[in-house]
Amino acid sequence: MQLEREVDSIADATGFSGVVRVDRRDGIELAKAYGLAHRGFEIPNTVGTQFAIASGTKGLTAVAVASLIEDGSLDLSTTARTVLGQDLPLVGDDVTVEHLLSHRSGIGDYLDENAGLDIDDYLMPVPVHELATSEQYLAVLDGHRTKFAPDERFEYCNGGYVVLALIAERTSGVPFHELVRRRVCEPAGMHDTAFLRSDELPGRAALGYLSSDGGSRTNVFHLPVRGSGDGGIYSTVADISSFWGALFAGRIVSTDWVAELVRSRSEMPRQSMRYGLGFWLAQSSDTMLLEGSDAGVSFRTGHDPLRGVTHTVISNTSDGAWPIARLLAERFEG
């Protein structure tokens, strides 16, 4: 098969570690794993390995929030302040759920990707084991001044999605990790997707790796021990395919709400991209995208509901997914 040969060639040339899957309406075109999930014990990755998907989590957060809006617990116009109370006083009183979902809130970011950060550095300002629950993230979210007025422009903001996790948790009365499981993973049939702790990963989960002098090290000291609304959930390529299928079939939220989530709010012509609510949108096709990169993690998935094509690549290294992701984008997003 030509696609498999091309993927194999890139994987061999780059030392790719991870998994690739391409689905069409009539079945799976490609599902293949490469490299090691655990280098110390030489445990190989498989198509069933659980990988962290970094900011791919934001799409699941957006859907969970949409489900709360759909049942009347929240609204797009709900202000963050009405839920935060006295917490995070630098978040403007006029910042709404919609501003946060669309990265148009203007709030300061605890992990500002526009500040020229090296994702392989140790970026957390507190010990990572202290970031395990939504409320614990208040310690890193606080103290970041507003950058611009709400809805003035698009600026990617990780902190905004952690604020959304807090809003969802406080509104529903359900811990955020459990909320995502109940409202997104269960109806989507994503049985292998969860916010795992990096210091107690189960046997099917891949460790994340960074290059270091003379070898490699894991990312366990680089990222919060348990993710939040902006990233850190673990999943499989099969579950990612299930997510797209369930989402566009209206099994998680209504199809009207799916249309709202993937309606463009911002245009980024230089990147040939648009953005909705939690989802990237290809500039010149109907493909919806989720992607993410962290220390020891890289992920990209796209779904074109009209063509019935889903493509996903996940790597347990910081940038390993991108060469194959570019190939899949050229093939399926044009």
Side-chain angles (χ1 to χ4, degrees):
M1 183 173 62
Q2 179 63 25
L3 178 60
E4 182 174 1
R5 288 193 293 269
E6 292 179 47
V7 171
D8 284 347
S9 177
I10 294 173
D12 183 62
T14 62
F16 173 66
S17 179
V19 63
V20 183
R21 175 163 161 158
V22 176
D23 294 81
R24 294 187 182 273
R25 282 198 179 95
D26 57 356
I28 300 171
E29 179 176 345
L30 174 66
K32 196 167 184 178
Y34 305 80
L36 298 175
H38 193 300
R39 295 179 181 180
F41 293 106
E42 298 187 346
I43 299 171
N45 286 317
T46 72
V47 293
T49 296
Q50 294 169 291
F51 292 89
I53 65 169
S55 287
T57 306
K58 290 183 174 71
L60 280 67
T61 298
V63 175
V65 170
S67 76
L68 291 173
I69 296 173
E70 195 167 44
D71 70 15
S73 301
L74 281 173
D75 195 87
L76 285 176
S77 61
T78 300
T79 63
R81 179 59 49 217
T82 59
V83 182
L84 293 175
Q86 298 302 308
D87 291 327
L88 306 181
L90 295 183
V91 173
D93 292 347
D94 51 351
V95 170
T96 68
V97 167
E98 184 169 13
H99 294 143
L100 295 166
L101 285 168
S102 60
H103 295 287
R104 300 181 67 89
S105 69
I107 69 170
D109 198 354
Y110 85 106
L111 192 60
D112 191 344
E113 297 186 13
N114 295 305
L117 302 175
D118 183 342
I119 61 170
D120 285 353
D121 284 344
Y122 297 95
L123 299 176
M124 293 297 106
V126 300
V128 295
H129 72 273
E130 295 179 4
L131 297 174
T133 69
S134 299
E135 295 291 334
Q136 286 178 311
Y137 276 81
L138 286 169
V140 296
L141 292 172
D142 203 8
H144 303 283
R145 294 193 176 278
T146 295
K147 291 185 171 185
F148 54 86
D151 211 32
E152 180 180 300
R153 67 179 186 268
F154 175 94
E155 185 169 311
Y156 195 83
C157 183
N158 287 292
Y161 269 72
V162 185
V163 174
L164 284 168
L166 278 164
I167 290 171
E169 179 170 304
R170 291 182 178 185
T171 299
S172 66
V174 178
F176 177 71
H177 304 124
E178 176 68 12
L179 184 76
V180 172
R181 184 185 69 81
R182 292 183 191 177
R183 292 192 174 241
V184 181
C185 298
E186 286 188 353
M190 301 170 72
H191 305 299
D192 292 318
T193 300
F195 284 95
L196 305 176
R197 287 184 60 108
S198 64
D199 59 352
E200 55 181 28
L201 293 178
R204 287 179 51 210
L207 295 174
Y209 288 95
L210 301 78
S211 297
S212 63
D213 294 340
S216 63
R217 64 176 183 269
T218 74
N219 63 358
V220 68
F221 295 121
H222 289 259
L223 302 174
V225 70
R226 199 176 189 199
S228 184
D230 62 335
I233 206 166
Y234 284 71
S235 192
T236 65
V237 284
D239 273 12
I240 297 299
S241 293
S242 294
F243 170 74
W244 286 118
L247 183 66
F248 281 88
R251 295 200 300 272
I252 312 176
V253 293
S254 69
T255 54
D256 286 344
W257 258 104
V258 175
E260 187 70 12
L261 290 168
V262 300
R263 180 171 64 83
S264 178
R265 298 322 203 273
S266 301
E267 303 278 339
M268 283 78 74
R270 289 186 180 180
Q271 296 95 336
S272 298
M273 297 282 276
R274 300 169 292 148
Y275 200 84
L277 301 178
F279 292 84
W280 293 97
L281 314 169
Q283 187 70 42
S284 56
S285 75
D286 294 307
T287 301
M288 290 79 176
L289 302 154
L290 295 174
E291 60 179 44
S293 186
D294 270 332
V297 185
S298 46
F299 164 81
R300 193 172 194 270
T301 183
H303 177 70
D304 185 332
L306 295 182
R307 297 169 64 187
V309 177
T310 299
H311 54 88
T312 302
V313 55
I314 320 176
S315 176
N316 56 332
T317 63
S318 301
D319 56 6
W322 307 132
I324 294 174
R326 284 192 289 270
L327 168 69
L328 299 180
E330 292 169 1
R331 182 67 59 86
F332 300 113
E333 296 172 27

Short mmCIF file of all heavy atoms in Angstrom, two decimals, residues 57-115:
data_model
loop_
_atom_site.label_atom_id
_atom_site.label_comp_id
_atom_site.label_asym_id
_atom_site.label_seq_id
_atom_site.Cartn_x
_atom_site.Cartn_y
_atom_site.Cartn_z
N THR A 57 -6.53 17.65 24.14
CA THR A 57 -7.50 17.63 25.23
C THR A 57 -8.50 18.78 25.14
O THR A 57 -9.65 18.65 25.58
CB THR A 57 -6.76 17.70 26.58
OG1 THR A 57 -5.78 16.66 26.64
CG2 THR A 57 -7.71 17.59 27.76
N LYS A 58 -8.07 19.91 24.58
CA LYS A 58 -8.95 21.09 24.55
C LYS A 58 -10.26 20.81 23.82
O LYS A 58 -11.30 21.35 24.18
CB LYS A 58 -8.22 22.27 23.92
CG LYS A 58 -7.09 22.84 24.77
CD LYS A 58 -6.46 24.05 24.12
CE LYS A 58 -5.43 24.71 25.03
NZ LYS A 58 -4.20 23.91 25.20
N GLY A 59 -10.22 19.98 22.79
CA GLY A 59 -11.46 19.64 22.10
C GLY A 59 -12.43 18.91 23.01
O GLY A 59 -13.65 19.16 22.97
N LEU A 60 -11.92 18.02 23.85
CA LEU A 60 -12.78 17.29 24.78
C LEU A 60 -13.33 18.23 25.85
O LEU A 60 -14.48 18.12 26.26
CB LEU A 60 -12.02 16.13 25.41
CG LEU A 60 -11.89 14.85 24.57
CD1 LEU A 60 -11.01 15.07 23.34
CD2 LEU A 60 -11.30 13.70 25.40
N THR A 61 -12.48 19.17 26.30
CA THR A 61 -12.95 20.17 27.26
C THR A 61 -14.08 20.99 26.66
O THR A 61 -15.11 21.24 27.32
CB THR A 61 -11.78 21.09 27.65
OG1 THR A 61 -10.76 20.31 28.28
CG2 THR A 61 -12.25 22.19 28.61
N ALA A 62 -13.91 21.43 25.41
CA ALA A 62 -14.94 22.24 24.76
C ALA A 62 -16.25 21.48 24.65
O ALA A 62 -17.33 22.05 24.87
CB ALA A 62 -14.46 22.67 23.37
N VAL A 63 -16.19 20.20 24.32
CA VAL A 63 -17.41 19.40 24.20
C VAL A 63 -18.06 19.22 25.57
O VAL A 63 -19.30 19.28 25.69
CB VAL A 63 -17.10 18.05 23.53
CG1 VAL A 63 -18.34 17.16 23.52
CG2 VAL A 63 -16.59 18.26 22.11
N ALA A 64 -17.26 19.00 26.60
CA ALA A 64 -17.82 18.86 27.95
C ALA A 64 -18.52 20.15 28.37
O ALA A 64 -19.63 20.11 28.94
CB ALA A 64 -16.70 18.52 28.95
N VAL A 65 -17.92 21.30 28.09
CA VAL A 65 -18.55 22.58 28.41
C VAL A 65 -19.84 22.76 27.60
O VAL A 65 -20.87 23.20 28.12
CB VAL A 65 -17.57 23.75 28.15
CG1 VAL A 65 -18.29 25.09 28.24
CG2 VAL A 65 -16.42 23.70 29.14
N ALA A 66 -19.80 22.39 26.31
CA ALA A 66 -21.00 22.48 25.48
C ALA A 66 -22.14 21.63 26.04
O ALA A 66 -23.31 22.03 25.98
CB ALA A 66 -20.69 22.06 24.05
N SER A 67 -21.79 20.48 26.61
CA SER A 67 -22.84 19.62 27.18
C SER A 67 -23.49 20.29 28.39
O SER A 67 -24.69 20.13 28.63
CB SER A 67 -22.26 18.25 27.56
OG SER A 67 -21.51 18.31 28.76
N LEU A 68 -22.70 21.06 29.16
CA LEU A 68 -23.26 21.79 30.30
C LEU A 68 -24.15 22.94 29.83
O LEU A 68 -25.15 23.26 30.46
CB LEU A 68 -22.14 22.31 31.19
CG LEU A 68 -21.34 21.26 31.97
CD1 LEU A 68 -20.15 21.91 32.67
CD2 LEU A 68 -22.22 20.53 32.98
N ILE A 69 -23.76 23.57 28.72
CA ILE A 69 -24.60 24.63 28.16
C ILE A 69 -25.90 24.05 27.64
O ILE A 69 -26.98 24.60 27.84
CB ILE A 69 -23.84 25.37 27.04
CG1 ILE A 69 -22.60 26.08 27.60
CG2 ILE A 69 -24.75 26.38 26.34
CD1 ILE A 69 -21.70 26.69 26.55
N GLU A 70 -25.78 22.89 26.99
CA GLU A 70 -26.97 22.27 26.41
C GLU A 70 -27.98 21.88 27.47
O GLU A 70 -29.20 21.95 27.22
CB GLU A 70 -26.54 21.05 25.59
CG GLU A 70 -27.60 20.52 24.66
CD GLU A 70 -27.04 19.53 23.65
OE1 GLU A 70 -26.23 18.66 24.05
OE2 GLU A 70 -27.40 19.63 22.48
N ASP A 71 -27.52 21.50 28.66
CA ASP A 71 -28.49 21.11 29.70
C ASP A 71 -28.87 22.29 30.60
O ASP A 71 -29.57 22.12 31.61
CB ASP A 71 -28.00 19.93 30.53
CG ASP A 71 -26.82 20.25 31.44
OD1 ASP A 71 -26.53 21.44 31.68
OD2 ASP A 71 -26.19 19.29 31.94
N GLY A 72 -28.41 23.50 30.23
CA GLY A 72 -28.85 24.70 30.94
C GLY A 72 -28.01 25.10 32.13
O GLY A 72 -28.35 26.07 32.83
N SER A 73 -26.92 24.40 32.40
CA SER A 73 -26.09 24.73 33.56
C SER A 73 -25.21 25.95 33.32
O SER A 73 -24.82 26.65 34.27
CB SER A 73 -25.19 23.53 33.92
OG SER A 73 -25.96 22.39 34.23
N LEU A 74 -24.87 26.19 32.06
CA LEU A 74 -24.03 27.32 31.67
C LEU A 74 -24.60 27.94 30.41
O LEU A 74 -25.53 27.41 29.80
CB LEU A 74 -22.59 26.85 31.37
CG LEU A 74 -21.62 26.58 32.51
CD1 LEU A 74 -20.34 25.96 31.97
CD2 LEU A 74 -21.31 27.85 33.28
N ASP A 75 -23.98 29.03 29.97
CA ASP A 75 -24.30 29.64 28.70
C ASP A 75 -23.00 30.19 28.11
O ASP A 75 -22.05 30.45 28.86
CB ASP A 75 -25.32 30.78 28.88
CG ASP A 75 -25.94 31.17 27.54
OD1 ASP A 75 -26.94 30.56 27.16
OD2 ASP A 75 -25.40 32.10 26.90
N LEU A 76 -22.96 30.37 26.81
CA LEU A 76 -21.77 30.98 26.21
C LEU A 76 -21.51 32.36 26.78
O LEU A 76 -20.37 32.81 26.87
CB LEU A 76 -21.91 31.06 24.68
CG LEU A 76 -21.74 29.78 23.89
CD1 LEU A 76 -22.01 30.03 22.41
CD2 LEU A 76 -20.34 29.19 24.07
N SER A 77 -22.56 33.05 27.19
CA SER A 77 -22.42 34.40 27.72
C SER A 77 -22.15 34.44 29.22
O SER A 77 -21.95 35.53 29.79
CB SER A 77 -23.69 35.22 27.42
OG SER A 77 -24.82 34.63 28.05
N THR A 78 -22.11 33.28 29.88
CA THR A 78 -21.78 33.25 31.30
C THR A 78 -20.40 33.84 31.52
O THR A 78 -19.44 33.48 30.83
CB THR A 78 -21.80 31.80 31.83
OG1 THR A 78 -23.10 31.24 31.66
CG2 THR A 78 -21.44 31.76 33.32
N THR A 79 -20.27 34.75 32.46
CA THR A 79 -18.94 35.31 32.73
C THR A 79 -18.17 34.41 33.68
O THR A 79 -18.75 33.76 34.56
CB THR A 79 -19.04 36.72 33.34
OG1 THR A 79 -19.71 36.64 34.60
CG2 THR A 79 -19.77 37.68 32.41
N ALA A 80 -16.88 34.39 33.48
CA ALA A 80 -16.02 33.61 34.38
C ALA A 80 -16.16 34.08 35.82
O ALA A 80 -16.16 33.29 36.76
CB ALA A 80 -14.56 33.70 33.91
N ARG A 81 -16.33 35.40 35.99
CA ARG A 81 -16.37 35.96 37.34
C ARG A 81 -17.54 35.42 38.16
O ARG A 81 -17.41 35.22 39.38
CB ARG A 81 -16.45 37.50 37.24
CG ARG A 81 -16.52 38.23 38.56
CD ARG A 81 -15.31 37.96 39.46
NE ARG A 81 -14.06 38.14 38.73
CZ ARG A 81 -13.00 37.38 38.92
NH1 ARG A 81 -13.01 36.40 39.82
NH2 ARG A 81 -11.90 37.58 38.22
N THR A 82 -18.68 35.16 37.52
CA THR A 82 -19.84 34.67 38.27
C THR A 82 -19.57 33.30 38.87
O THR A 82 -20.24 32.92 39.83
CB THR A 82 -21.09 34.59 37.37
OG1 THR A 82 -20.83 33.71 36.26
CG2 THR A 82 -21.47 35.97 36.85
N VAL A 83 -18.61 32.57 38.32
CA VAL A 83 -18.28 31.24 38.85
C VAL A 83 -17.02 31.29 39.71
O VAL A 83 -16.92 30.59 40.72
CB VAL A 83 -18.09 30.23 37.69
CG1 VAL A 83 -17.79 28.84 38.23
CG2 VAL A 83 -19.33 30.20 36.79
N LEU A 84 -16.05 32.12 39.33
CA LEU A 84 -14.79 32.17 40.05
C LEU A 84 -14.91 32.87 41.40
O LEU A 84 -14.08 32.65 42.29
CB LEU A 84 -13.73 32.89 39.21
CG LEU A 84 -13.28 32.19 37.92
CD1 LEU A 84 -12.33 33.09 37.15
CD2 LEU A 84 -12.63 30.85 38.23
N GLY A 85 -15.89 33.74 41.56
CA GLY A 85 -16.00 34.50 42.81
C GLY A 85 -14.80 35.40 43.00
O GLY A 85 -14.45 36.18 42.12
N GLN A 86 -14.12 35.26 44.13
CA GLN A 86 -12.95 36.10 44.44
C GLN A 86 -11.65 35.53 43.89
O GLN A 86 -10.61 36.19 43.98
CB GLN A 86 -12.83 36.28 45.96
CG GLN A 86 -14.01 36.98 46.60
CD GLN A 86 -14.26 38.35 46.02
OE1 GLN A 86 -13.34 39.17 45.94
NE2 GLN A 86 -15.49 38.61 45.59
N ASP A 87 -11.69 34.34 43.33
CA ASP A 87 -10.47 33.73 42.79
C ASP A 87 -10.06 34.39 41.48
O ASP A 87 -10.90 34.89 40.72
CB ASP A 87 -10.68 32.23 42.55
CG ASP A 87 -10.82 31.45 43.85
OD1 ASP A 87 -10.18 31.85 44.84
OD2 ASP A 87 -11.57 30.46 43.86
N LEU A 88 -8.77 34.39 41.19
CA LEU A 88 -8.19 34.92 39.95
C LEU A 88 -8.72 36.33 39.65
O LEU A 88 -9.35 36.57 38.62
CB LEU A 88 -8.49 33.98 38.78
CG LEU A 88 -8.07 32.51 38.97
CD1 LEU A 88 -8.41 31.70 37.72
CD2 LEU A 88 -6.60 32.41 39.30
N PRO A 89 -8.44 37.29 40.53
CA PRO A 89 -9.00 38.64 40.38
C PRO A 89 -8.54 39.38 39.13
O PRO A 89 -9.19 40.36 38.74
CB PRO A 89 -8.52 39.36 41.65
CG PRO A 89 -7.32 38.58 42.12
CD PRO A 89 -7.62 37.16 41.76
N LEU A 90 -7.46 38.94 38.48
CA LEU A 90 -7.00 39.62 37.27
C LEU A 90 -7.77 39.20 36.02
O LEU A 90 -7.61 39.80 34.96
CB LEU A 90 -5.50 39.37 37.06
CG LEU A 90 -4.57 39.95 38.13
CD1 LEU A 90 -3.11 39.70 37.77
CD2 LEU A 90 -4.82 41.45 38.32
N VAL A 91 -8.60 38.18 36.12
CA VAL A 91 -9.49 37.82 35.01
C VAL A 91 -10.60 38.86 34.96
O VAL A 91 -11.32 39.08 35.94
CB VAL A 91 -10.07 36.41 35.19
CG1 VAL A 91 -11.12 36.11 34.12
CG2 VAL A 91 -8.96 35.36 35.14
N GLY A 92 -10.76 39.52 33.82
CA GLY A 92 -11.73 40.61 33.70
C GLY A 92 -13.16 40.17 33.95
O GLY A 92 -13.55 39.03 33.63
N ASP A 93 -13.95 41.07 34.49
CA ASP A 93 -15.34 40.77 34.81
C ASP A 93 -16.17 40.49 33.56
O ASP A 93 -17.25 39.90 33.65
CB ASP A 93 -15.97 41.93 35.57
CG ASP A 93 -15.40 42.09 36.97
OD1 ASP A 93 -14.70 41.17 37.44
OD2 ASP A 93 -15.64 43.14 37.59
N ASP A 94 -15.70 40.94 32.39
CA ASP A 94 -16.46 40.77 31.15
C ASP A 94 -16.00 39.59 30.31
O ASP A 94 -16.48 39.38 29.20
CB ASP A 94 -16.41 42.05 30.31
CG ASP A 94 -14.99 42.57 30.09
OD1 ASP A 94 -14.05 42.04 30.73
OD2 ASP A 94 -14.81 43.52 29.29
N VAL A 95 -15.09 38.76 30.84
CA VAL A 95 -14.63 37.57 30.12
C VAL A 95 -15.69 36.48 30.23
O VAL A 95 -16.13 36.13 31.33
CB VAL A 95 -13.29 37.06 30.70
CG1 VAL A 95 -12.94 35.69 30.12
CG2 VAL A 95 -12.18 38.06 30.41
N THR A 96 -16.13 35.96 29.09
CA THR A 96 -17.19 34.96 29.06
C THR A 96 -16.66 33.57 28.70
O THR A 96 -15.51 33.41 28.26
CB THR A 96 -18.27 35.34 28.03
OG1 THR A 96 -17.69 35.24 26.71
CG2 THR A 96 -18.80 36.73 28.27
N VAL A 97 -17.52 32.59 28.87
CA VAL A 97 -17.19 31.22 28.47
C VAL A 97 -16.84 31.18 26.98
O VAL A 97 -15.89 30.51 26.57
CB VAL A 97 -18.38 30.28 28.78
CG1 VAL A 97 -18.22 28.93 28.09
CG2 VAL A 97 -18.52 30.10 30.29
N GLU A 98 -17.58 31.90 26.16
CA GLU A 98 -17.28 31.90 24.72
C GLU A 98 -15.91 32.49 24.44
O GLU A 98 -15.17 31.98 23.60
CB GLU A 98 -18.35 32.67 23.95
CG GLU A 98 -18.15 32.62 22.44
CD GLU A 98 -19.34 33.14 21.66
OE1 GLU A 98 -20.22 33.77 22.27
OE2 GLU A 98 -19.38 32.90 20.44
N HIS A 99 -15.54 33.57 25.12
CA HIS A 99 -14.20 34.14 24.94
C HIS A 99 -13.13 33.12 25.28
O HIS A 99 -12.12 33.00 24.57
CB HIS A 99 -14.02 35.37 25.84
CG HIS A 99 -14.90 36.52 25.49
ND1 HIS A 99 -15.47 37.34 26.45
CD2 HIS A 99 -15.32 37.00 24.29
CE1 HIS A 99 -16.18 38.28 25.86
NE2 HIS A 99 -16.12 38.09 24.55
N LEU A 100 -13.32 32.38 26.36
CA LEU A 100 -12.33 31.39 26.78
C LEU A 100 -12.25 30.24 25.77
O LEU A 100 -11.16 29.80 25.40
CB LEU A 100 -12.69 30.85 28.16
CG LEU A 100 -12.61 31.88 29.31
CD1 LEU A 100 -13.30 31.33 30.55
CD2 LEU A 100 -11.16 32.23 29.62
N LEU A 101 -13.39 29.75 25.31
CA LEU A 101 -13.40 28.65 24.36
C LEU A 101 -12.74 29.01 23.03
O LEU A 101 -12.10 28.17 22.40
CB LEU A 101 -14.84 28.20 24.10
CG LEU A 101 -15.54 27.39 25.18
CD1 LEU A 101 -17.03 27.30 24.87
CD2 LEU A 101 -14.93 26.00 25.31
N SER A 102 -12.88 30.25 22.63
CA SER A 102 -12.40 30.69 21.31
C SER A 102 -11.00 31.30 21.35
O SER A 102 -10.50 31.77 20.33
CB SER A 102 -13.37 31.69 20.70
OG SER A 102 -13.50 32.84 21.53
N HIS A 103 -10.35 31.28 22.51
CA HIS A 103 -9.03 31.91 22.69
C HIS A 103 -9.08 33.40 22.34
O HIS A 103 -8.15 33.95 21.74
CB HIS A 103 -7.97 31.21 21.83
CG HIS A 103 -7.69 29.79 22.22
ND1 HIS A 103 -7.00 29.46 23.36
CD2 HIS A 103 -8.02 28.63 21.61
CE1 HIS A 103 -6.91 28.13 23.44
NE2 HIS A 103 -7.52 27.62 22.41
N ARG A 104 -10.15 34.05 22.72
CA ARG A 104 -10.31 35.48 22.49
C ARG A 104 -10.59 36.23 23.81
O ARG A 104 -11.17 37.30 23.81
CB ARG A 104 -11.44 35.74 21.48
CG ARG A 104 -11.21 35.09 20.12
CD ARG A 104 -12.34 35.38 19.14
NE ARG A 104 -12.40 36.79 18.78
CZ ARG A 104 -11.74 37.34 17.76
NH1 ARG A 104 -10.95 36.59 16.99
NH2 ARG A 104 -11.86 38.63 17.50
N SER A 105 -10.13 35.65 24.92
CA SER A 105 -10.42 36.23 26.23
C SER A 105 -9.48 37.36 26.60
O SER A 105 -9.85 38.26 27.37
CB SER A 105 -10.35 35.16 27.31
OG SER A 105 -9.01 34.72 27.49
N GLY A 106 -8.25 37.32 26.13
CA GLY A 106 -7.26 38.33 26.49
C GLY A 106 -6.63 38.14 27.85
O GLY A 106 -5.79 38.96 28.27
N ILE A 107 -6.98 37.07 28.58
CA ILE A 107 -6.40 36.90 29.92
C ILE A 107 -4.94 36.48 29.81
O ILE A 107 -4.50 35.91 28.81
CB ILE A 107 -7.19 35.88 30.76
CG1 ILE A 107 -7.01 34.45 30.22
CG2 ILE A 107 -8.66 36.25 30.84
CD1 ILE A 107 -7.57 33.37 31.13
N GLY A 108 -4.17 36.77 30.86
CA GLY A 108 -2.79 36.34 30.90
C GLY A 108 -2.69 34.83 31.02
O GLY A 108 -3.58 34.19 31.59
N ASP A 109 -1.61 34.27 30.49
CA ASP A 109 -1.48 32.82 30.39
C ASP A 109 -0.36 32.30 31.29
O ASP A 109 0.75 32.83 31.28
CB ASP A 109 -1.18 32.44 28.93
CG ASP A 109 -1.46 30.97 28.64
OD1 ASP A 109 -1.77 30.21 29.58
OD2 ASP A 109 -1.36 30.59 27.46
N TYR A 110 -0.65 31.24 32.03
CA TYR A 110 0.38 30.64 32.89
C TYR A 110 1.43 29.90 32.08
O TYR A 110 2.55 29.67 32.54
CB TYR A 110 -0.27 29.71 33.92
CG TYR A 110 -0.53 28.29 33.44
CD1 TYR A 110 0.26 27.23 33.88
CD2 TYR A 110 -1.57 28.01 32.55
CE1 TYR A 110 0.02 25.93 33.46
CE2 TYR A 110 -1.82 26.73 32.13
CZ TYR A 110 -1.02 25.68 32.58
OH TYR A 110 -1.27 24.40 32.15
N LEU A 111 1.09 29.50 30.86
CA LEU A 111 2.02 28.81 29.98
C LEU A 111 1.90 29.46 28.61
O LEU A 111 1.20 28.98 27.72
CB LEU A 111 1.68 27.31 29.92
CG LEU A 111 2.70 26.39 29.27
CD1 LEU A 111 4.04 26.45 30.00
CD2 LEU A 111 2.19 24.95 29.25
N ASP A 112 2.56 30.59 28.46
CA ASP A 112 2.36 31.48 27.32
C ASP A 112 3.21 31.03 26.13
O ASP A 112 4.43 31.21 26.12
CB ASP A 112 2.71 32.92 27.71
CG ASP A 112 2.29 33.94 26.67
OD1 ASP A 112 2.01 33.54 25.53
OD2 ASP A 112 2.24 35.13 27.01
N GLU A 113 2.55 30.45 25.13
CA GLU A 113 3.28 29.93 23.98
C GLU A 113 3.79 31.04 23.06
O GLU A 113 4.59 30.78 22.16
CB GLU A 113 2.39 28.95 23.20
CG GLU A 113 2.03 27.73 24.02
CD GLU A 113 1.28 26.68 23.23
OE1 GLU A 113 1.25 26.76 21.99
OE2 GLU A 113 0.71 25.77 23.86
N ASN A 114 3.35 32.27 23.28
CA ASN A 114 3.84 33.40 22.49
C ASN A 114 5.09 34.02 23.10
O ASN A 114 5.61 35.00 22.57
CB ASN A 114 2.75 34.46 22.35
CG ASN A 114 1.56 33.96 21.56
OD1 ASN A 114 1.70 33.49 20.45
ND2 ASN A 114 0.38 34.04 22.16
N ALA A 115 5.55 33.48 24.22
CA ALA A 115 6.70 34.04 24.92
C ALA A 115 8.01 33.36 24.53
O ALA A 115 9.04 33.56 25.18
CB ALA A 115 6.49 33.94 26.43
#
